[in-house]
């Protein structure tokens, strides 16, 4: 990239200096390497190099020999240690082996993949379901395949990297609108030429700040302008809506959303990704989506755990209620302590704490870890508007006592670091 | 003023709030090099240009634009098409 005005696709992708011929290709990363070394030299632990030595439950792990409450895992529904889920995985490992060694379209579709897709169809009430090896690949596949050179993809500026990367992989014309702005979406759709198909890309929950999209209004605007709609429910599945389908279910727009993209790596508690849809021609995507065709399928144990978990999530109403309770309580507790939070009230199970700069954020992150609480640190360019964040994601399995303990530890760390008074 | 000069003047006005160092603006002014903008500023700025002229500058087009002159030309083209 030369002096790209306008960086190609991902806002996270600020231009790097050119490498001159003969130079070490790594030299473009020198500034980043220096910044990282300076940070580590200041004596803090590496926030991006943590190792979980043992995992005791969805909410507890051993880190550096110390029992640590997990508050940054996206394991919203605590399915990772569910006995039925574990059993299903073990059985599949015994019966089908450790891996498929093949693409979904060749030797990589086992009975378990079919059953996993059936579980998704049942969970979402759709005609079709397609399982990918990750949610990242599901977005890559959909964005790059469904919209051609003459078509338009209209996406929220704060879209996940996998959506931007999918656009970069394809040939469509890409238009961005301001984050969660219905008016801006409407205006941009109104300026599109008459020719060309239109796909509006939305997310139920935006994972950096934990805010949700006004899907009822946005889908209405998209349909007014005759666009197809995809909603990424990576952080909404399991938690939102009467059946746990996601924010789009809660918003009452199920019949107008053309595709839902999701992941098994959060509420479902394993790894994998999917698209569900009622479009009559949906199945053709299995032949044309390169991120589906040119990679190996998920291991049998993984699809077996996913299918079992998805079947249980449908009936997890009590867990959903407890997760809401936890989320609202943590939000209120932190707010009352004087922390600045990204949303005025809890909108999802992600509570993002805003901090002034990298140094304070890393020190606060480390103080919490030393007190036995693990949270996610996020910084530019992953965050919108250059924010420094500590992101907490709650789990339905966090006990009320654990939430109390978390709030107390935030208070201690916040005082010690001078973040709150 | 010609149409292009007028467009240039309007775009220059939109640049002002983001031109912290008061760099003099010419057709050759580059956004990343001279104005030292990062991707967040670019996004805000592009949205303001789109709204001012009631046009769409796709990310595909944005990737080709490095200088103020190129942007003004693109705006002119888009207005004439529309
Ligand atoms: C909104 C969104 N979409 C897609 C993904 C990708 O999911 P996966 O971890 O399955 O690749 C994530 C998670 O990282 C996400 O937050």
């Amino acid at each position: 990239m030369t002096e790209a005005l306008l960086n190609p696709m991902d806002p996270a992708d600020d231009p790097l200096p050119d490498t001159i011929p003969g130079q070490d290709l790594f030299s473009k990363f020198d500034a980043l390497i220096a910044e990282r070394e300076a940070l580590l030299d200041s004596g803090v632990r590496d926030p991006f190099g943590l190792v979980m030595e043992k995992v005791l439950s969805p909410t507890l792990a051993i880190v550096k020999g110390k029992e640590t409450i997990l508050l940054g895992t996206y394991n919203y529904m605590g399915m990772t240690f569910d006995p039925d889920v574990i059993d299903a995985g073990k059985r599949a490992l015994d019966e089908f082996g450790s891996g498929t060694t093949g693409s979904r379209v060749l030797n990589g579709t086992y009975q378990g993949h079919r059953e996993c897709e059936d579980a998704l169809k049942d969970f979402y009430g759709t005609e079709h379901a397609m399982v990918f090896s990750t949610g990242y690949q599901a977005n890559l596949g959909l964005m790059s395949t469904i919209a051609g050179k003459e078509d338009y993809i209209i996406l929220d500026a704060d879209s996940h990297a996998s959506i931007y990367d999918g656009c970069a992989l394809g040939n469509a014309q890409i238009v961005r609108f301001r984050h969660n702005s219905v008016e801006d979406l409407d205006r941009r759709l109104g300026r599109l030429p008459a020719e060309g198909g239109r796909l509006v890309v939305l997310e139920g929950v935006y994972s950096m700040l934990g805010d949700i999209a006004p899907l009822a209004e946005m889908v209405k605007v998209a349909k007014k302008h005759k666009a197809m709609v995809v909603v990424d429910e990576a952080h909404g599945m399991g938690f939102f809506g009467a059946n746990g389908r996601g924010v789009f279910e809660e918003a009452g727009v199920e019949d107008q959303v053309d595709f839902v993209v999701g992941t098994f790596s959060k509420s479902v508690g394993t790894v994998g990704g999917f698209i569900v849809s009622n479009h009559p021609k949906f199945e053709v995507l299995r032949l044309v989506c390169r991120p589906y065709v040119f990679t190996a399928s998920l291991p049998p144990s993984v699809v077996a755990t996913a299918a079992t978990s998805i079947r249980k999530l449908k009936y997890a109403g009590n867990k959903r209620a407890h997760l809401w309770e936890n989320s609202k309580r943590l939000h209120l507790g932190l707010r009352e302590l004087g922390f600045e939070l990204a949303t005025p009230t809890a909108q999802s199970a992600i509570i993002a704490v805003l901090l002034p700069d990298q140094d304070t954020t890393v020190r606060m992150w480390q103080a919490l870890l030393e007190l036995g609480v693990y949270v996610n640190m996020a910084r530019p360019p992953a965050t919108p508007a250059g924010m420094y964040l500590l992101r907490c994601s709650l789990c339905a399995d966090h006990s009320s006592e654990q939430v109390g303990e978390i709030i107390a530890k935030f208070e201690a760390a916040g005082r010690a670091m001078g973040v709150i008074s | 003023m010609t149409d292009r000069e007028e467009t240039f003047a309007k775009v220059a006005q939109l640049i002002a709030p983001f031109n912290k160092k008061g760099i003099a603006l010419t057709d050759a002014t580059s956004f990343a090099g001279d104005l030292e903008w990062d991707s967040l500023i670019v996004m805000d700025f592009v949205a303001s240009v789109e709204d001012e002229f009631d046009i769409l500058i796709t990310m595909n087009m944005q990737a080709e634009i490095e200088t103020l002159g190129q942007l003004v030309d693109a705006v002119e083209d888009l207005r004439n098409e529309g």
Side-chain angles (χ1 to χ4, degrees), chain A residues 69-72 322-339 341 345-346 348-353 368 373-375 390-395 398-400 402-411:
Chain A
I69 300 179
L70 300 174
L71 188 68
H322 186 63
L323 183 53
W324 260 125
E325 226 167 78
N326 282 348
S327 307
K328 286 180 179 157
R329 175 146 169 247
L330 180 64
H331 195 287
L332 182 66
L334 295 180
R335 206 168 42 189
E336 283 179 348
L337 285 172
F339 284 101
L341 304 182
T345 54
S348 69
I350 300 171
I351 312 290
V353 181
L368 282 167
V373 177
Y374 170 76
V375 297
L390 289 182
R391 278 179 315 151
C392 311
S393 59
L394 286 133
C395 176
H398 279 125
S399 65
S400 302
Q402 278 179 318
V403 178
E405 216 177 306
I406 290 165
I407 295 171
K409 288 177 173 175
F410 258 94
E411 180 173 14

Side-chain angles (χ1 to χ4, degrees), chain A residues 134-137 139 160 162 203 205 207 232 234-235 262-266 272-273:
Chain A
T134 64
Y136 180 88
Q137 280 166 298
N139 270 332
H160 189 259
S162 56
E203 294 178 34
V205 178
S207 65
D232 180 332
H235 297 270
T263 174
F264 299 160
S265 72
K266 312 199 189 293

Side-chain angles (χ1 to χ4, degrees), chain A residues 356-378:
Chain A
D357 52 52
Q358 166 140 311
D359 185 53
T360 313
T361 312
V362 178
R363 285 188 305 115
M364 182 74 194
W365 175 85
Q366 174 160 327
L368 282 167
L369 192 58
E370 263 144 32
L371 291 168
V373 177
Y374 170 76
V375 297
N376 271 171
M377 182 182 145

Side-chain angles (χ1 to χ4, degrees), chain B residues 50-68:
Chain B
E50 288 179 324
D51 290 344
E52 171 70 32
F53 296 99
D54 198 24
I55 53 174
L56 275 183
I57 309 175
T58 63
M59 292 185 74
N60 318 54
M61 292 160 84
Q62 293 172 32
E64 305 289 312
I65 299 173
E66 291 179 7
T67 63
L68 177 52

